């Protein structure tokens, strides 16, 4: 006997790279099944509320839109495996369209409405999108897309008739709200999620029904809403982390409250009025929130989970959050390629034995492995390292991608030695907590010493005048690379570069301290809030034979 599984090698249809062994498994939940599971719990409960307009959609109503959309797609000649996208701000009907794409057995291509036009056109064209649902706010953008992405053969405007595009409700009106079988199996592609685009041309991480099931399994293992369904405030774009969290909430029969932008006053008002129990924001947005007077003007006690992720968070600002919001903070770490959480710092992990905030070291951890993920620390030769040793964080998890779309070279590189390589340098302590010290590409080699930019940034962010910062390596005749800080100050605050350098020397020593400090009105950020260090580096490394990053 051996294991009762089919171990024939599979090759991904999209990237030609080897996939996991085939498993005859008809019990895997499909992507759309999770929404249907939530809808079945209470069909007449609200699933989406537009906070600014009060427009409300019940599960029954939204599910009917997804069914009619899926049937309309099939009637229009779109078949299993074809690609579709949605270009929209946070909108309930826009979300129904992406569910309709998946329900029809097609592949949802996630594009961020805040991305530059060039990036979205590249994604739509290179990921072979053939239908685009769009909100009328993007009518001008769609005119440009029509010229640059000729493979898209159908446009549908989700909120009204568009220019040469039917309104969604007119397009689906004659279609039945009948059940439709997506026709996809566990390892069929259902989602193409673009990488953040912070390092050049975006890649498409391929996610299957199986990897989405892995995401839900980890989420259920980490977040517990036992008494009442969660009420989630979605201000971050639904095309990325915010959308995955919305799906998780909907799967439990919960409610998603939509906001069109991240604004501290709107956030605090909605938390109080809607009795929000679940909130996610990236650290940059949290810094703006805790600096706003609005937090003192509203009752925020309904929050049970305030999740943060996507970038490191300064311990000093995390302590402020614990003081303001109470013991509700939870960090989730993951990637486009692995989904999340693959590690998490639980609410209890933020507290010390005395009930106050945990010590600074623990607050810099990204937590322990999620229930359905294995992690390791690996050196460049593929050897797994022991506790306390620095190396690349690698992951094995059901939620990991099947590969990069039509990119076997990058797929093989990411899956070297049988583990997914995150590109994050870190270590694990004796208690199983993981610590990220930097991105592999962001390490600065100054005078022969490795300097981790994250370590320097944490010290700078502890200064009360600093809103956010980025530490980069710049060319230097003496040091090879010099540590350079680019700092964004809080409104109305002042501090000199000399003061910040002195603070760093006192905390981490002169070798790691910045040799220069530059002040900037606003740090360049991607559409999901990550600081674009390559943009900052570019000015310094132009014309250099050697570059970092």
């Amino acid at each position: 006997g051996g294991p009762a599984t089919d171990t024939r090698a599979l090759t991904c249809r999209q990237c030609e790279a080897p996939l996991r062994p085939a498993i005859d498994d008809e019990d895997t939940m499909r992507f759309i099944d999770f929404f249907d599971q939530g809808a079945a719990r209470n069909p007449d409960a609200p699933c989406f509320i537009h906070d600014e307009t009060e427009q409300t959609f019940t599960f029954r109503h939204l599910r009917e839109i997804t069914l009619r959309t899926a049937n309309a797609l099939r009637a229009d000649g779109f078949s299993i495996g074809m690609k579709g996208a949605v270009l929209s701000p946070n909108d309930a009907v826009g979300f129904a369209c992406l569910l309709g794409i998946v329900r029809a057995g097609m592949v949802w291509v996630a594009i961020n409405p805040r991305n530059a036009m060039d990036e979205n056109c590249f994604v739509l064209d290179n990921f072979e999108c053939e239908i685009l649902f769009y909100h009328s706010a993007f009518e001008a953008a769609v005119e440009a897309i029509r010229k640059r992405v000729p493979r898209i053969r159908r446009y549908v405007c989700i909120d009204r008739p568009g220019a040469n595009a039917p309104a969604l409700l007119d397009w689906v009106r004659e279609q039945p709200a009948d059940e439709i079988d997506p026709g996809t199996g566990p390892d069929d592609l259902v989602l193409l999620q673009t990488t953040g685009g912070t390092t050049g041309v975006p890649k498409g991480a391929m996610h299957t029904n199986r990897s989405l099931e892995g995401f839900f399994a980890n989420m259920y293992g980490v977040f517990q809403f036992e008494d009442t369904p969660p009420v989630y405030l979605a201000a971050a774009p639904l095309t990325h982390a915010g959308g995955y969290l919305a799906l998780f909430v909907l799967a439990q029969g919960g409610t998603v409250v939509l906001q069109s932008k991240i604004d501290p006053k709107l956030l605090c008002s909605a938390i109080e009025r809607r009795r929000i129990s679940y909130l996610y924001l990236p650290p940059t947005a949290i810094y703006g929130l805790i600096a706003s007077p609005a937090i003192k003007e509203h009752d925020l006690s309904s929050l049970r989970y305030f999740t943060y992720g996507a970038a490191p968070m300064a311990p000093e600002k995390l302590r402020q959050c614990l003081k303001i919001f109470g013991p509700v903070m939870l960090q989730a770490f993951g990637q486009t390629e692995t989904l999340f959480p693959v590690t998490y710092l639980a609410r209890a992990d933020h507290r010390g034995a005395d009930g106050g905030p945990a010590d600074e070291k623990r607050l810099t951890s990204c937590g322990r492995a999620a229930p359905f993920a294995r992690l390791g620390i690996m050196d460049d030769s593929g050897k797994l390292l022991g506790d306390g040793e620095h190396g690349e964080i690698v992951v094995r998890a059901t939620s990991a991608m099947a590969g990069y779309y039509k990119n076997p070279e990058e797929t093989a590189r990411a899956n070297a030695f049988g583990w997914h390589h995150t590109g994050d340098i870190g270590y694990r302590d004796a208690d199983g907590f993981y610590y990220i010290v930097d991105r592999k590409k962001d390490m600065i080699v100054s005078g022969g010493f490795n300097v981790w930019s994250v370590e320097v940034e944490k010290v700078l962010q502890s200064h009360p005048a600093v809103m956010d910062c980025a530490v980069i390596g710049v060319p230097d005749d003496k040091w090879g690379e010099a540590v350079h800080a680019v700092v964004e100050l809080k409104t109305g605050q002042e501090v000199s570069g000399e003061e910040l350098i002195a603070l760093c020397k006192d905390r981490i020593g002169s070798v790691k301290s910045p040799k220069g400090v530059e002040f900037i009105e606003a740090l360049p950020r991607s559409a999901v809030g990550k600081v674009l260090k390559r943009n900052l580096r570019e000015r310094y490394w132009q014309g250099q034979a050697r570059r970092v990053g």
Side-chain angles (χ1 to χ4, degrees), residues 109-418:
V109 177
I111 55 172
N112 193 324
R114 300 178 188 178
N115 281 346
M117 172 63 69
D118 286 348
E119 182 170 337
N120 278 340
C121 285
F122 174 88
V123 169
L124 292 169
D125 189 37
N126 284 270
F127 296 175
E128 302 177 315
C129 188
E130 296 190 52
I131 180 168
L132 179 65
F133 297 89
Y134 72 94
H135 190 280
S136 61
F138 294 93
E139 191 73 68
V142 165
E143 286 306 304
I145 291 171
R146 287 180 188 273
K147 298 174 183 176
R148 296 174 60 178
V149 192
R151 73 170 66 248
I152 298 178
R153 65 178 178 88
R154 169 67 72 187
Y155 291 83
V156 179
C157 188
I158 67 176
D159 58 318
R160 63 166 174 76
N164 301 312
L168 175 72
L169 295 184
D170 292 336
W171 189 62
V172 305
R173 193 180 310 280
E174 300 303 319
Q175 299 300 323
D178 294 344
E179 297 294 334
I180 181 171
D181 182 0
T184 56
D187 294 304
D188 284 324
L189 182 62
V190 293
L191 165 63
L192 271 173
Q193 181 73 65
T194 58
T195 55
T198 60
T199 56
V201 175
K203 300 184 288 289
M206 300 189 295
H207 284 287
T208 63
N209 283 313
R210 193 184 300 280
S211 63
L212 268 296
E213 185 182 57
F215 158 75
F216 279 100
N218 273 322
M219 290 293 289
Y220 276 114
V222 169
F223 296 94
Q224 304 296 322
F225 293 97
E226 295 162 347
D227 45 0
T228 57
V231 182
Y232 168 55
L233 179 56
L238 292 181
T239 48
H240 287 69
Y244 291 107
L245 296 176
L247 285 164
F248 172 62
V249 167
L250 294 174
Q252 299 172 80
T255 302
V256 178
V257 178
L258 295 171
Q259 288 189 337
S260 58
K261 59 183 177 180
I262 297 176
D263 177 273
K265 291 182 179 179
L266 294 177
L267 288 170
C268 292
S269 175
I271 292 170
E272 181 175 33
R273 286 184 298 109
R274 308 288 184 185
R275 304 303 296 164
I276 300 297
S277 58
Y278 192 18
L279 176 65
Y280 160 77
L281 291 174
T284 52
I286 295 175
Y287 299 164
L289 176 62
I290 61 179
S292 170
I295 60 174
K296 298 178 181 178
E297 300 168 357
H298 295 278
D299 176 9
L300 310 177
S301 62
S302 61
L303 282 177
R304 293 184 58 194
Y305 287 98
F306 189 166
T307 304
Y308 62 100
M313 187 162 174
E316 179 60 34
K317 292 185 168 58
L318 189 48
R319 278 192 286 269
Q320 291 181 47
C321 288
L322 292 166
K323 183 177 180 180
I324 294 166
F325 303 107
V328 299
M329 305 303 294
L330 185 144
Q331 181 182 175
F333 166 68
Q335 295 186 316
T336 298
E337 291 89 343
T338 64
L339 302 182
F340 62 91
V342 291
T343 71
Y344 71 107
L345 193 67
R347 293 177 299 185
D349 296 329
H350 287 76
R351 299 196 300 274
D354 61 356
D359 61 54
E360 178 153 336
K361 183 174 186 296
R362 180 56 49 81
L363 292 181
T364 64
S365 171
C366 62
R368 288 185 273 207
F372 298 92
R374 283 189 289 160
L375 279 82
I377 304 294
M378 184 175 285
D379 67 14
D380 290 340
S381 69
K383 177 186 175 183
L384 290 173
L385 305 176
D387 292 344
E389 296 185 87
H390 286 54
E392 185 173 6
I393 298 175
V394 292
V395 178
R396 282 177 172 170
T398 307
S399 62
M401 67 175 182
Y404 290 116
Y405 186 65
K406 293 193 171 180
N407 197 333
E409 295 83 8
E410 287 295 327
T411 297
R413 187 175 293 115
N415 292 334
F417 308 111

